[in-house]
Amino acid sequence: MAAAAKAASERWQTAAPRRRSAARQPRRKEVAAGGRETDLEANTKIVLRRLQEAENDLLISAFWSSALETVSRCLTELLGQQKPPGRTLPEAFGSLHLDSPLGEPDVSHASSSGETLAPKTCHMKCVCYGIGNFATCITARIQLAFLLLFLDKCQTPRSHCWVYDPLFSPLEIAVLNTLGVTVLRENEEGKRSVRGELTVFYMLHCGTALYNNLLWSNWLLTRILQKNYPYIAKILEGLEEVEFPQTPEYMDTFNDTSVHWFPTQKLKRVPRDLWTFREEPDYEGCEDLEIIRKTADPPTVSPP
């Protein structure tokens, strides 16, 4: 019996695990890199889903219809100054001429938008500054959802919408690329010229300097305002401002938001010598600037 038990024990003895060859063992760096890529893709899908939910909520809200009516009224009056005037908002946008190339050197175009333009079809442009960290902030996410709905309503390809915020995270840039909008690579500080093309600037709750820089870049164009933000101060009499409707649901998201446009008749009443002032804004000594300045490129160091 003892011999038999010993033989059985030897037959069922657990074999030592075989060592895997080095060729089959994944490297730690490859696993880590793959994990990060998977996390980014997963998080991108989460943010996109939340954006879609925000769009759905906006579409059924009273605010959306009222805000769209406000914007449409302003744009219709603006387009009425065109010759010949457009009939409807999308038709008027479709008759515009877009003569600058889409492949600008300072932007990174999304490859996944899936949108194609028919030959000779032209649209307005849209520029969005300072939307904020929409991946983590619900207010910024709703504001971005409004922009996307507005582009769709105006039949404007998302590739004709340029977006920038110096605070964007890699996740948010990935989301924007997936959405098909054009993400600017450099901080323009708001100094983008429209070059005579119809352009809507979507800038909610930005710093005053950003608006001032935008006006300076497109200049034909209170004491602190006169001193630090002269372009805003000078253009007020040529400006038409229409406030967004206020609803309790979006009080914190679109508060103090309005549409600004420049009727031709008002601009004609502005003194002609006003447009001769073209000095670039300089904010030295300006307190509470509320703008993130672009940083200068670091000096190149020659190798020893």
Side-chain angles (χ1 to χ4, degrees):
M1 291 292 293
K6 182 178 181 180
S9 175
E10 289 176 350
R11 285 198 306 269
W12 293 100
Q13 185 176 2
T14 304
R18 291 186 297 176
R19 299 184 62 182
R20 300 174 64 181
S21 64
R24 293 190 176 185
Q25 292 180 354
R27 297 178 180 178
R28 291 184 178 181
K29 291 184 178 179
E30 293 175 351
V31 173
R36 282 196 298 270
E37 183 180 358
T38 302
D39 290 343
L40 180 61
E41 292 176 353
N43 290 333
T44 297
K45 292 179 180 179
I46 292 174
V47 176
L48 288 171
R49 186 181 71 247
R50 291 174 178 172
L51 266 172
Q52 185 61 58
E53 292 171 354
E55 289 185 36
N56 295 339
D57 291 340
L58 268 171
L59 281 173
I60 62 175
S61 69
F63 171 82
W64 166 251
S65 56
S66 299
L68 188 63
E69 180 183 352
T70 300
V71 177
S72 299
R73 184 169 70 252
C74 294
L75 288 175
T76 300
E77 290 185 31
L78 175 63
L79 292 168
Q81 300 176 162
Q82 307 282 331
K83 293 182 180 181
R87 289 171 293 173
T88 65
L89 205 56
E91 289 173 348
F93 289 156
S95 67
L96 295 173
H97 180 60
L98 187 64
D99 54 13
S100 65
L102 291 180
E104 297 187 11
D106 62 338
V107 296
S108 172
H109 294 284
S111 59
S112 57
S113 62
E115 295 180 87
T116 57
L117 296 180
K120 298 183 180 180
T121 301
C122 304
H123 300 266
M124 75 168 189
K125 285 185 174 182
C126 183
V127 179
C128 172
Y129 291 133
I131 198 71
N133 294 119
F134 58 87
T136 55
C137 176
I138 187 172
T139 297
R141 189 156 57 247
I142 294 172
Q143 292 171 349
L144 177 57
F146 184 97
L147 173 62
L148 297 174
L149 290 174
F150 173 73
L151 294 174
D152 293 344
K153 187 68 176 180
C154 296
Q155 300 180 9
T156 299
R158 292 181 179 180
S159 59
H160 286 202
C161 179
W162 285 260
V163 184
Y164 183 80
D165 194 305
L167 300 179
F168 280 156
S169 65
L171 169 61
E172 286 159 340
I173 292 175
V175 171
L176 292 170
N177 285 334
T178 303
L179 289 170
V181 298
T182 303
V183 183
L184 288 165
R185 293 177 180 174
E186 298 180 2
N187 184 357
E188 300 177 334
E189 296 184 347
K191 300 174 183 177
R192 169 170 281 248
S193 173
V194 300
R195 302 173 184 174
E197 298 168 325
L198 177 62
T199 305
V200 173
F201 285 87
Y202 189 72
M203 303 165 60
L204 304 185
H205 306 156
C206 291
T208 308
L210 210 60
Y211 303 112
N212 192 60
N213 287 351
L214 177 61
L215 287 170
W216 167 80
S217 185
N218 295 279
W219 199 244
L220 299 174
L221 307 178
T222 68
R223 179 178 62 85
I224 295 178
L225 192 64
Q226 286 281 0
K227 177 183 177 182
N228 295 323
Y229 310 109
Y231 291 95
I232 293 178
K234 292 175 185 292
I235 201 60
L236 289 179
E237 59 183 288
L239 171 71
E240 184 76 22
E241 180 179 1
V242 183
E243 295 183 358
F244 262 25
Q246 293 298 314
T247 60
E249 186 178 4
Y250 295 109
M251 185 66 70
D252 294 334
T253 306
F254 297 101
N255 62 302
D256 298 328
T257 300
S258 57
V259 179
H260 296 79
W261 66 288
F262 306 93
T264 301
Q265 293 303 318
K266 280 196 170 187
L267 292 177
K268 287 181 178 178
R269 295 196 295 266
V270 174
R272 290 187 178 182
D273 59 357
L274 180 69
W275 309 116
T276 61
F277 182 78
R278 285 280 300 158
E279 183 178 349
E280 184 172 0
D282 182 4
Y283 301 107
E284 286 295 329
C286 179
E287 298 180 0
D288 301 325
L289 186 56
E290 296 182 317
I291 182 177
I292 297 178
R293 307 295 297 273
K294 64 179 180 182
T295 57
D297 294 333
T300 57
V301 179
S302 301

